[in-house]
Amino acid sequence: QKEVEQNSGPLSVPEGAIASLNCTYSDRGSQSFFWYRQYSGKSPELIMFIYSNGDKEDGRFTAQLNKASQYVSLLIRDSQPSDSATYLCAVRKAAGNKLTFGGGTRVLVKP
Amino acid sequence: NAGVMQNPRHLVRRRGQEARLRCSPMKGHSHVYWYRQLPEEGLKFMVYLQKENIIDESGMPKERFSAEFPKEGPSILRIQQVVRGDSAAYFCASSPLGENIQYFGAGTRLSVL
């Protein structure tokens, strides 16, 4: 079992719709959770971070965390073609500062 | 406020040569991380450094790879005797003391011929 798992996609979403991305993690001691966006050939760009159970909203993005289910998700509302990218879920464990990344979900927003 | 600076952006080496990748963290950041992204694969942690100290090198290959973050100057990731399998994008990230939000540089794309 991978430490951080994501569906590789591609997730095809019509423009204006909601894109829903999921991520599960195996270590119950994980404390911090991050979503990065990576365009092809570019570096990861931080979108959201969440530490506590529940929802956290920032503009068109909402991160949801459920530690009991070891599950974190990202919702992108009013998806735009510029949202087409790979979205990386990253987890920090209780001990240490390193991030463990999932394989990423590729999102395609079609006009 | 400059972000994380990495250079070179692209590096071509022949098998057996050495590769040196440099990373200057964001201003005010004292923690540096190196990650590697192989073609069509996810990001993998390599090493975490603070000034003059290696804190966690659990992701570093046992041979040929080394990293440092001297008191003055950038962090250096050094790969000796490169092989074709070392071809990848190497990303550096930094974070400030007391926080774990990591910001990534543009990366160095290493190609080994």
Side-chain angles (χ1 to χ4, degrees):
Chain A
Q1 182 187 10
K2 291 182 181 179
E3 292 187 75
V4 180
E5 295 210 56
Q6 297 181 254
N7 189 319
S8 61
L11 176 65
S12 186
V13 179
E15 184 175 358
I18 296 175
S20 178
L21 290 74
N22 303 319
C23 172
T24 58
Y25 59 94
S26 60
D27 188 339
R28 283 198 172 274
S30 299
Q31 287 195 334
S32 311
F33 307 85
F34 305 84
W35 284 99
Y36 286 84
R37 177 175 63 197
Q38 187 176 28
Y39 292 111
S40 180
K42 302 296 185 182
S43 62
E45 173 192 7
L46 182 67
I47 298 294
M48 295 280 293
F49 60 90
I50 186 166
Y51 301 152
S52 304
N53 278 328
D55 295 359
K56 180 180 179 182
E57 186 175 318
D58 184 0
R60 295 186 297 110
F61 299 97
T62 298
Q64 299 174 316
L65 175 60
N66 183 326
K67 289 186 177 181
S69 299
Q70 296 174 242
Y71 175 95
V72 58
S73 65
L74 179 70
L75 299 178
I76 308 173
R77 288 181 299 281
D78 188 23
S79 296
Q80 301 297 308
S82 59
D83 295 327
S84 298
T86 296
Y87 290 79
L88 304 172
C89 172
V91 172
R92 182 178 76 90
K93 297 180 182 180
N97 277 16
K98 71 180 183 183
L99 296 180
T100 301
F101 283 85
T105 297
R106 191 157 67 97
V107 172
L108 295 174
V109 181
K110 297 186 175 180
Chain B
N1 183 18
V4 179
M5 304 300 292
Q6 289 189 250
N7 66 81
R9 294 289 305 276
H10 300 275
L11 183 61
V12 179
R13 286 288 178 264
R14 297 191 181 277
R15 282 179 296 170
Q17 291 184 319
E18 178 179 287
R20 283 187 180 235
L21 289 62
R22 289 177 290 278
C23 169
S24 296
M26 287 178 70
K27 187 175 181 180
H29 288 194
S30 56
H31 299 210
V32 166
Y33 311 81
W34 286 93
Y35 293 84
R36 178 166 66 173
Q37 190 170 37
L38 293 166
E40 305 304 322
E41 291 191 18
L43 276 162
K44 303 291 184 188
F45 168 80
M46 299 181 76
V47 62
Y48 161 39
L49 310 101
Q50 296 177 18
K51 286 284 188 181
E52 300 185 282
N53 281 303
I54 296 174
I55 308 302
D56 180 356
E57 56 182 347
S58 59
M60 286 281 269
K62 298 300 180 190
E63 298 177 348
R64 303 189 296 109
F65 286 72
S66 62
E68 62 176 3
F69 190 14
K71 186 177 180 180
E72 302 291 338
S75 174
I76 305 286
L77 179 68
R78 182 181 177 205
I79 311 172
Q80 294 179 289
Q81 299 175 343
V82 296
V83 301
R84 288 210 173 116
D86 296 332
S87 295
Y90 292 82
F91 292 101
C92 171
S94 72
S95 67
L97 184 66
E99 277 191 39
N100 192 241
I101 299 174
Q102 297 181 22
Y103 299 92
F104 282 79
T108 294
R109 278 144 185 88
L110 172 66
S111 296
V112 179
L113 304 180

